[in-house]
Amino acid sequence: MPDRQPLPPSGQRGGYRYYDLVMAAFVAVYLCSNLIGPAKAAQVILPVFGPLTFGAGVLFFPISYIFGDILTEVYGYARARRVIWAGFSAMAFASLMAAVVVHLPPAPEWRNQAAYEIAFGSTWRIVLASLTAFFCGEFVNSFVLAKMKILTRGRWLWTRTIGSTIVGEGVDSLLFYPLAFYDSGLIPNEILWKVMVSQFVAKVMVEVVFTPLTYQVVGALKRAEQEDYYDVRTNFTPFSLKA
């Protein structure tokens, strides 16, 4: 493949049509995965395997990786980096405000404080573990996909969406579960690795199942935006908002 250059920056082309919408969707899914999912343990009965218990957040979180794949594939690592920082900042702010609201003295006639604490009262250890794992996992996912796109010359999209998710989700799981739960008393240490592996496998399987849809969305966005970015000369530091 020749050294393919991206189109001029969006500011010189009148801006992207859907970049801000994809950013909003990414942030919304990430907030849902942390604010809605963790409060409930769900169980389904699978043929052959029997009952499977999981945190409901597993339904949301892998979708954020799918959006991360779409962003990097279409718009490039630098613009995906801005979206990751937007999600990280939104979650940090939401966690802070949830802690403030939970600790506000309830009115005498309000009887739902205990339920509110269960839903929104995550410990700071879990919050910090989630933010750390998200930050590292998403940036690794985006980096791997961007490098694989150059390596594969833009072919075989499924190899980089699934491959980057395996690495990114692997980093996320390896960081989150020990940081959040080791010696916490919430999950026994002897089964912690089993929980970690099962959640990792479930998240990767979501990526696999959604691969055909990812193909459709990526193709539609590339045509609509007239963009197919290759990160040939990108500065891959995560500590920048420059696009």
Side-chain angles (χ1 to χ4, degrees):
M1 182 190 72
D3 188 77
R4 182 174 180 178
Q5 297 301 309
L7 294 174
S10 59
Q12 298 177 25
R13 300 192 295 111
Y16 291 116
R17 296 170 61 186
Y18 299 109
Y19 172 74
D20 55 342
L21 297 179
V22 179
M23 173 187 286
F26 175 94
V27 174
V29 168
Y30 177 53
L31 289 176
C32 287
S33 71
N34 283 271
L35 297 180
I36 298 176
K40 182 173 182 177
Q43 185 178 87
V44 296
I45 307 299
L46 298 178
V48 179
F49 297 101
L52 173 66
T53 303
F54 58 93
V58 76
L59 299 176
F60 295 96
F61 196 74
I63 302 176
S64 71
Y65 274 77
I66 295 172
F67 278 111
D69 291 343
I70 292 169
L71 283 160
T72 306
E73 175 68 23
V74 178
Y75 302 103
Y77 176 91
R79 290 184 178 85
R81 175 173 56 199
R82 292 170 66 90
V83 176
I84 294 171
W85 272 109
F88 180 89
S89 301
M91 190 62 234
F93 177 75
S95 300
L96 174 62
M97 294 310 299
V100 170
V101 173
V102 164
H103 287 88
L104 284 175
E109 64 274 12
W110 194 65
R111 307 298 182 187
N112 300 314
Q113 178 66 17
Y116 197 89
E117 289 178 2
I118 292 174
F120 297 103
S122 297
T123 66
W124 275 107
R125 177 176 175 177
I126 294 177
V127 170
L128 291 176
S130 176
L131 288 171
T132 301
F134 166 80
F135 183 87
C136 296
E138 284 287 352
F139 274 116
V140 167
N141 177 77
S142 187
F143 174 83
V144 170
L145 189 141
K147 289 296 188 180
M148 286 186 68
K149 184 173 183 178
I150 297 172
L151 182 65
T152 61
R153 300 175 181 267
R155 298 171 294 174
W156 311 315
L157 174 60
W158 65 272
T159 61
R160 50 188 182 274
T161 59
I162 296 174
S164 64
T165 296
I166 290 174
V167 179
E169 290 282 14
V171 169
D172 183 280
S173 297
L174 285 171
L175 288 173
F176 175 71
Y177 289 97
L179 289 176
F181 299 115
Y182 186 77
D183 275 345
S184 68
L186 297 174
I187 299 178
N189 290 344
E190 59 269 21
I191 68 168
L192 183 61
W193 70 271
K194 295 181 181 179
V195 175
M196 182 170 62
V197 171
S198 65
Q199 295 288 299
F200 166 74
V201 171
K203 292 172 182 178
V204 172
M205 290 307 298
V206 170
E207 175 74 50
V208 173
V209 169
F210 275 86
T211 294
L213 180 59
T214 303
Y215 264 79
Q216 295 298 317
V217 174
V218 165
L221 281 175
K222 285 181 178 179
R223 291 189 296 271
E225 304 285 32
Q226 299 182 34
E227 182 69 280
D228 187 5
Y229 203 100
Y230 285 78
D231 287 286
V232 177
R233 297 186 177 89
T234 300
N235 179 357
F236 285 98
T237 176
F239 303 106
S240 173
L241 293 178
K242 183 178 180 181

